[in-house]
Amino acid sequence: MISAINANRDITLIDVLRIPTEEPVGCVYLLVDVECHGVPARNKYGLLFRERMLIVVPQDDSIATAAWAMRKDFPRLAHQNSVSALGPAQLCLYYEPANVVARTWTAPSFLARILWWLEKNAKGELHLADQPLDTLFFESKHELVIPWDIADLASSGKPLLVSGYRRADNGTTMRIANHFESGQGVETKLVKVDLAPIESGAVEWDPHTLGELNDLIARRGASLLEPLRAAMQHDFPGSGLTQKDEPASVLVLISIPLRRASTGVVEASSYRAFFLHGGALKVGVALGALFEQAGRFYSSIGILGGGHSDGWEDIALDPVTVLWENSAERARAQSGHLEPGPKGVVIGAGSLGSALVELWIRSGWGSWTVIDKDHIRPHNLTRHSAINLQIGQPKVLAVSRLVEAITRGAAALTAVEADVMSGANPDAARALVTSDLVVDATADLSYPRASSASEGRARHVSVFVTPNGRSGVMMLEDLAKTTCLRTIEAQYYRAVIHSDWGKTHLDGHRGLFWSGASCRDLSVVLPYSSVMIHACQFAESIPIHIRSDAAAAVIWQRGFDGSTDAISLLLFKRRVHKTDGGLDVYMDEGLHERLRELRRQAIPSETGGILLGYHDFTQNLLVIVDAVQAPQDSRSTPTSFERGTAGLREVVEEARNRTAGIVGYVGEWHSHPDGCPAAPSRDDLIQLAQLAVGMNEEGLPVVQVIVGSDEIGVVQAEVRP
């Protein structure tokens, strides 16, 4: 540093100092004169061309080098560090934290920074135009956390208590509440004072007395004394109080709106708290807000000339930095959510559902009802937010208590312990009807399929993690619900069958383990990290996708190298074919177009093939997922078609494997020539009867789809006793 000073023509070394009694030497103090040619003469900020500085060079490299202004009347300016008001000012030379500065710090650059600081402050340019305004006061080691519901607490009629935690850095973090555990907290009178806006500028040293604080506020063009008196008198009982009713201390919370000098616009508010020494009633008397008569204290409102104030200037203060407990609004601002989010329902409070709720609650997005019938079992703790003490409790209760522990009521969550499929619980039924969004996280096909048949339901989104944990899938209905979850599920399977990524997408899990005594008590082997990776993806993506009215289906595939690919599917509206006495047959417009295209490619000859899909007798429906083109050994003419068999067994087996055994053979399709209706001919009916006999071995109905020039017909048959 000395070498750098000697090489700098604007800085002159005056003396090298140390503390004589300090062994070994902890710091070396370099007294210098700094001549800054960029400082304008007679600038309004009070900086001089030549300033005497003390450069403090610690011998411990982990401690930052500092620069102190040695002039006693050195002005208070922006970007000074928090030190004693009785000592010299310390320059705040860097925006970045000390550990970041240390990476590129050199002695010559440090000296250049001092010159830069002096010039920019002298010209009023140090505070960037778009930089957030400085708070009025320096940070204190003591913190006061203001509850998100402070207005309700203050108006509850119950005394406010303050409880503190002493930290390792000798600071204290205090909280305000109406009650604490036995033995905690000190009763405090909270006095909130809202000041008129003041201009942001230099950061102030903390005052030591109420008089110093009043003078500081007055210099900035605002008044403290009258608002403080009025606040002390607010809601003071007309019958008065005795000293035994007196709160132990007065906590003054001051709200100070800050306006930018260049625009005059209020852009922020600075908050500061001060503990006033002397007891609430004595402070009130000193301020003239109260008076004492016969051992009781009364408000001086209405007394001619007001109460007599005396000695208030000497009331001692303890400054406290103000922190705000998170409300839902603050959590959203910190998380980047621009909207409050939906009134929503999460179906399933298991591994994925509980993770989604926690992520959204922490970010303040949405208000939620959680529905689940299960309880916490020991193995759930591997992949759940519950803790050991909650084993045996309902999962919804574990999630609800987590939310309360995180937000202290700032975010409300309604827990409903119920089987959503039964429809018997009125709270669950009401939530499903009155919500804006329902998130299915059940990892089961039952609810999303059943919900598609429910009239008047809210918009639904279904999310799940594949058994191997490598992929996450989101299916979102459109706002009008014309593309429902049932339709999206079928199109998802079609994409799995036809895409390269689908080959291993639903590959088997990493293994199974028994979680109980029953043969049905099987769980998959899957780390919680895999669930959380996809939960975070869903938690970020769902708020974005529901801004659009359109349906969406997205698959996130994780590579073994940590990369993630997002695959968005092109979705089509559903097409429902009703048949007399049979199952409702579901297709989609995309499948209709595929059938028409296969017919166009074969004209003038007829063509056909097999249909892949699945039955769901709980919903009385058959879903056709895909139409397979004619095998190579098929025979076709302009008036006839005979389907071959080459490769079909492999096609069906591949579809079944790729879709985890869900999609299989469900029937046949064929085309008719131009001018012929999409209705079954005599030969078609004979074939249909033969197919029905074959499918009867599995007790299943069969479907026949006929593709005409203008329409698509569906015929269904089954063998009945």
Side-chain angles (χ1 to χ4, degrees):
M1 180 63 74
I2 292 174
S3 176
I5 291 171
N6 290 334
N8 193 310
R9 60 185 177 184
D10 295 322
I11 301 178
T12 304
L13 182 64
I14 305 300
D15 205 351
V16 180
L17 309 168
R18 55 163 290 190
I19 297 175
T21 59
E22 192 176 60
E23 292 292 347
V25 175
C27 285
V28 175
Y29 302 86
L30 307 179
L31 195 64
V32 299
D33 277 342
V34 180
E35 296 179 348
C36 183
H37 298 272
V39 172
R42 294 181 295 278
N43 63 83
K44 66 177 182 179
Y45 299 100
L47 288 170
L48 304 179
F49 164 72
R50 182 183 294 108
E51 294 285 2
R52 180 152 292 186
M53 298 277 175
L54 187 69
I55 298 176
V56 182
V57 186
Q59 298 305 287
D60 182 349
D61 287 342
S62 66
I63 303 174
T65 299
W68 301 70
M70 301 306 290
R71 177 157 59 98
K72 286 186 176 180
D73 58 349
F74 192 84
R76 296 190 191 97
L77 297 169
H79 295 283
Q80 293 179 8
N81 289 324
S82 175
V83 291
S84 170
L86 303 177
Q90 186 186 100
L91 278 56
C92 177
L93 297 174
Y94 301 96
Y95 297 110
E96 300 85 358
N99 63 318
V100 175
V101 173
R103 297 172 189 160
T104 57
W105 186 95
T106 65
S109 67
F110 178 80
L111 299 178
R113 196 75 177 180
I114 295 175
L115 294 165
W116 169 84
W117 189 97
L118 292 169
E119 178 179 350
K120 291 296 184 180
N121 248 322
K123 295 178 178 178
E125 299 173 353
L126 186 56
H127 206 290
L128 303 177
D130 59 348
Q131 183 179 339
L133 298 179
D134 286 326
T135 58
L136 183 61
F137 295 101
F138 287 113
E139 291 291 305
S140 166
K141 277 192 174 183
H142 304 297
E143 304 167 342
L144 178 70
V145 180
I146 305 298
W148 67 269
D149 55 347
I150 183 64
D152 294 337
L153 293 176
S155 62
S156 67
K158 299 178 182 178
L160 291 176
L161 303 176
V162 174
S163 177
Y165 176 80
R166 192 76 172 179
R167 305 189 307 272
D169 63 356
N170 293 322
T172 305
T173 298
M174 293 165 281
R175 301 183 64 115
I176 298 175
N178 285 138
H179 65 87
F180 287 102
E181 296 297 327
S182 178
Q184 293 184 355
V186 177
E187 186 176 342
T188 300
K189 179 175 179 59
L190 178 67
V191 179
K192 189 172 184 298
V193 179
D194 299 314
L195 300 184
I198 67 174
E199 186 174 298
S200 177
V203 181
E204 298 282 1
W205 310 113
D206 275 312
H208 296 86
T209 65
L210 187 57
E212 291 179 7
L213 176 60
N214 185 64
D215 291 343
L216 184 155
I217 297 296
R219 286 198 305 269
R220 296 295 188 97
S223 172
L224 171 65
L225 205 56
E226 288 307 317
L228 181 56
R229 286 192 184 114
M232 291 288 292
Q233 294 167 335
H234 181 67
D235 288 340
F236 198 86
S239 58
L241 295 174
T242 64
Q243 280 197 317
K244 68 180 180 64
D245 304 316
E246 178 183 38
S249 60
V250 178
L251 178 62
V252 178
L253 176 62
I254 302 178
S255 169
I256 311 165
L258 299 175
R259 63 173 181 263
R260 191 177 293 274
S262 58
T263 64
V265 176
V266 174
E267 295 186 9
S269 290
S270 182
Y271 293 88
R272 193 62 155 186
F274 297 90
F275 277 110
L276 306 187
H277 294 196
L281 298 179
K282 293 178 183 177
V283 168
V285 170
L287 287 168
L290 309 176
F291 69 92
E292 182 183 6
Q293 183 176 349
R296 294 188 72 84
F297 295 82
Y298 302 89
S299 170
S300 62
I301 294 177
I303 295 180
L304 186 64
H308 175 68
S309 59
D310 181 34
W312 63 268
E313 298 94 336
D314 298 324
I315 295 175
L317 305 176
D318 286 328
V320 181
T321 294
V322 170
L323 306 176
W324 288 87
E325 187 179 42
N326 264 9
S327 62
E329 293 78 11
R330 286 179 178 271
R332 282 196 297 275
Q334 294 158 7
S335 303
H337 285 296
L338 303 178
E339 300 169 349
K343 178 182 179 182
V345 177
V346 173
I347 308 295
S351 181
L352 181 57
S354 63
L356 287 172
V357 170
E358 180 179 353
L359 289 167
W360 283 330
I361 286 293
R362 286 187 183 276
S363 63
W365 189 75
S367 58
W368 298 97
T369 296
V370 182
I371 304 174
D372 197 301
K373 66 177 180 179
D374 290 335
H375 65 278
I376 299 295
R377 304 181 76 178
H379 75 280
N380 292 136
L381 301 186
T382 305
R383 295 190 298 267
H384 201 281
S385 59
I387 60 176
N388 189 277
L389 291 176
Q390 293 173 324
I391 291 175
Q393 296 180 7
K395 289 182 178 179
V396 291
L397 181 60
V399 173
S400 176
R401 287 179 173 170
L402 173 67
V403 169
E404 173 62 26
I406 293 170
T407 70
R408 201 186 57 78
L413 183 138
T414 303
V416 179
E417 184 184 3
D419 180 359
V420 72
M421 293 297 295
S422 72
N425 187 290
D427 293 332
R430 189 181 309 110
L432 292 173
V433 173
T434 60
S435 63
D436 304 316
L437 181 72
V438 176
V439 181
D440 163 52
T442 58
D444 185 274
L445 294 172
S446 300
Y447 179 75
R449 289 185 180 179
S451 70
S452 296
S454 175
E455 296 295 332
R457 71 185 187 282
R459 189 182 192 182
H460 277 55
V461 57
S462 183
V463 290
F464 64 91
V465 179
T466 56
N468 57 23
R470 307 307 305 176
S471 300
V473 180
M474 180 193 76
M475 303 178 188
L476 171 67
E477 296 178 328
D478 63 323
L479 191 60
K481 280 96 72 178
T482 57
T483 307
C484 61
L485 290 182
R486 179 189 298 139
T487 301
I488 299 173
E489 180 191 357
Q491 296 177 65
Y492 159 68
Y493 291 140
R494 188 158 70 241
V496 170
I497 292 170
H498 285 281
S499 302
D500 290 339
W501 55 264
K503 187 173 182 63
T504 58
H505 174 66
L506 289 174
D507 266 3
H509 39 67
R510 306 180 188 195
L512 296 170
F513 66 91
W514 270 267
S515 58
S518 167
C519 61
R520 295 179 181 177
D521 292 330
L522 276 174
S523 289
V524 298
V525 174
L526 187 68
Y528 196 28
S529 56
S530 292
V531 177
M532 289 303 298
I533 286 172
H534 294 296
C536 292
Q537 185 69 67
F538 297 146
E540 287 193 352
S541 298
I542 289 174
I544 295 172
H545 279 86
I546 66 169
R547 295 175 192 166
S548 168
D549 294 348
V554 185
I555 299 98
W556 288 274
Q557 293 250 106
R558 293 172 52 223
F560 290 99
D561 60 353
S563 62
T564 301
D565 292 327
I567 303 162
S568 295
L569 305 184
L570 178 63
L571 296 177
F572 301 92
K573 293 182 179 179
R574 69 187 172 199
R575 299 296 296 267
V576 184
H577 299 265
K578 300 284 188 178
T579 58
D580 294 335
L583 302 177
D584 292 338
V585 178
Y586 278 76
M587 289 190 276
D588 60 82
E589 291 180 354
L591 182 55
H592 273 209
E593 181 55 36
R594 173 171 170 77
L595 288 166
R596 293 190 187 101
E597 179 59 27
L598 290 173
R599 177 184 179 275
R600 281 194 294 268
Q601 291 174 4
I603 288 176
S605 298
E606 292 188 9
T607 188
I610 66 170
L611 297 172
L612 300 176
Y614 55 88
H615 303 81
D616 191 331
F617 297 112
T618 65
Q619 302 299 317
N620 196 44
L621 56 85
L622 184 154
V623 179
I624 301 177
V625 170
D626 196 17
V628 180
Q629 64 185 16
Q632 292 183 353
D633 59 341
S634 301
R635 298 177 182 177
S636 62
T637 70
T639 58
S640 67
F641 173 73
E642 183 181 336
R643 175 181 60 75
T645 60
L648 285 185
R649 185 182 299 275
E650 291 78 13
V651 169
V652 174
E653 190 63 27
E654 179 71 6
R656 188 173 296 278
N657 289 339
R658 287 192 177 208
T659 61
I662 293 174
V663 174
Y665 174 86
V666 293
E668 303 278 336
W669 74 273
H670 67 273
S671 65
H672 277 185
D674 289 344
C676 294
S681 64
R682 181 175 177 277
D683 289 343
D684 293 339
L685 292 174
I686 293 173
Q687 182 203 46
L688 185 62
Q690 293 171 342
L691 292 172
V693 172
M695 292 289 282
N696 187 54
E697 294 180 6
E698 298 181 55
L700 297 174
V702 69
V703 67
Q704 185 182 72
V705 172
I706 303 171
V707 185
S709 55
D710 299 318
E711 60 181 346
I712 294 177
V714 176
V715 187
Q716 190 178 158
E718 64 177 322
V719 176
R720 294 181 179 176

